[in-house]
Amino acid sequence: MKRPPGRMLRVGGVPLHVLREGSGPVCVLSAGLGMGWFDWEPVVPLLTEHRTVVRFDRPGLGFSAPPVEPPTAVGEAARIAGVLDALDLPGPATVVGHSLAGFHAEAFARLHPERTAGIVLVDGSVEEDVRPIPARELRTAAAHARGHAVAATGLPRALGPALRRLAVRVSSVKRHDPAPDELVRRTYGTGRVARALLMENARYYDVAAELDELRALHPLPPVPVTVLAASPGTGSWLERRWLERQRALADRLDARFEAVAPAGHLVMFDRPQSIAAAVLAMPPVRA
């Protein structure tokens, strides 16, 4: 396989795989837990004529180097700022966060209000009244050890790509993963990505609790916020409850709410045009 597009930039002491495309006001796309830059492929062509689109792989994911420390809300907000600095894009950006990265996008806006033009949360993670879970360092060490043990067995190479495909099928109404086979093998077939995925999962509630603390200390800047909620169209109790929680998040953030249907959790695969429309509806703010 040829060299992946983009370049490696050192951000926060970690070489990150970063892509910058298009022109115009800046838009940052940050994918959910364990996902990579290529998961935004269906969305990017809809934006690059009108926006400078920035994508990056968090440490250990995609083609980025392994992390030097576990993820935190403050750290991920700083990483987004660091990516923009490395690209010499100091001005305000619209930050799009999918799933777990919705925490990161909101933290960025609260901690870097002068650099935020808008926020789009794409089926963002929601945790109401979350409390810190005890023994964070012990849990982190256990996740680290578990990741290295899994990598040593060769399981990522044997099962990683298949598990990725399965996760996409159950999270998309299209039931199809658009990522090329070789790209999936080169990423999800590695122990590096498996370790990063396990660590993000282990620190999920810690990041949620940290964001809750940030909400009490740092108000959102007066910028437009959109919450896009996936609606598969099944009419199930679980779907109705999820939409209620997403609407409550929108109310909490004084955001515009939109149920995107039909779509599974991977909205970028099922309804990329809805994400692009939400970004392009943001008032264009140039650096």
Side-chain angles (χ1 to χ4, degrees):
M1 181 178 177
K2 64 180 181 180
R3 184 178 180 274
R7 50 183 168 152
M8 300 298 291
L9 298 174
R10 185 170 290 275
V11 177
V14 180
L16 296 185
H17 176 232
V18 180
L19 289 83
R20 173 183 176 174
E21 301 156 281
S23 61
V26 179
C27 166
V28 180
L29 305 178
S30 188
L33 190 152
M35 302 180 73
W37 62 273
F38 50 84
D39 289 308
W40 291 107
E41 280 295 313
V43 179
V44 171
L46 306 177
L47 292 174
T48 49
E49 185 177 343
H50 311 282
R51 296 288 186 272
T52 297
V53 181
V54 175
R55 293 180 280 171
F56 67 98
D57 291 322
R58 290 191 297 278
L61 300 174
F63 290 101
S64 289
V68 296
E69 57 186 19
T72 65
V74 171
E76 295 306 328
R79 200 179 322 280
I80 294 171
V83 167
L84 293 172
D85 287 341
L87 293 172
D88 194 25
L89 296 171
T94 295
V95 182
V96 183
H98 167 251
S99 193
L100 168 68
F103 291 159
H104 308 160
E106 185 183 339
F108 175 85
R110 292 183 183 279
L111 294 171
H112 303 276
E114 75 287 351
R115 305 189 69 172
T116 306
I119 311 169
V120 179
L121 304 180
V122 182
D123 217 39
S125 295
V126 181
E127 296 298 332
E128 302 89 352
D129 302 319
V130 66
R131 295 290 183 270
I133 301 176
R136 182 180 66 181
E137 298 310 318
L138 181 60
R139 288 184 289 103
T140 299
H144 182 76
R146 187 163 56 249
H148 279 279
V150 168
T153 65
L155 283 175
R157 180 178 296 274
L159 299 178
L163 291 174
R164 149 78 189 204
R165 298 299 195 195
L166 176 62
V168 170
R169 284 198 296 273
V170 301
S171 303
S172 164
V173 297
K174 290 186 176 180
R175 311 294 185 204
H176 170 69
D177 188 348
D181 289 340
E182 190 172 358
L183 186 54
V184 171
R185 284 196 300 271
R186 285 188 63 187
T187 52
Y188 289 89
T190 67
R192 171 180 50 80
V193 170
R195 292 193 301 269
L197 192 158
L198 288 169
M199 184 60 71
E200 284 199 335
N201 185 65
R203 293 296 291 259
Y204 171 85
Y205 285 107
D206 301 297
V207 173
E210 186 185 355
L211 177 60
D212 213 39
E213 294 174 357
L214 291 177
R215 286 168 171 165
L217 298 172
H218 301 277
L220 273 179
V223 299
V225 181
T226 294
V227 170
L228 301 179
S231 177
T234 63
S236 68
W237 178 87
L238 286 175
E239 179 179 345
R240 294 196 303 272
R241 177 57 182 150
W242 179 245
L243 292 177
E244 289 172 1
R245 296 176 69 196
Q246 290 283 303
R247 191 181 295 276
L249 175 64
D251 290 343
R252 181 174 192 173
L253 302 180
D254 193 24
R256 182 181 75 86
F257 173 81
E258 178 184 344
V260 180
H265 183 55
L266 298 178
V267 182
M268 62 275 283
F269 294 173
D270 294 334
R271 292 291 300 275
Q273 67 274 19
S274 295
I275 299 174
V279 171
L280 297 176
M282 297 281 170
V285 179
R286 292 184 178 270

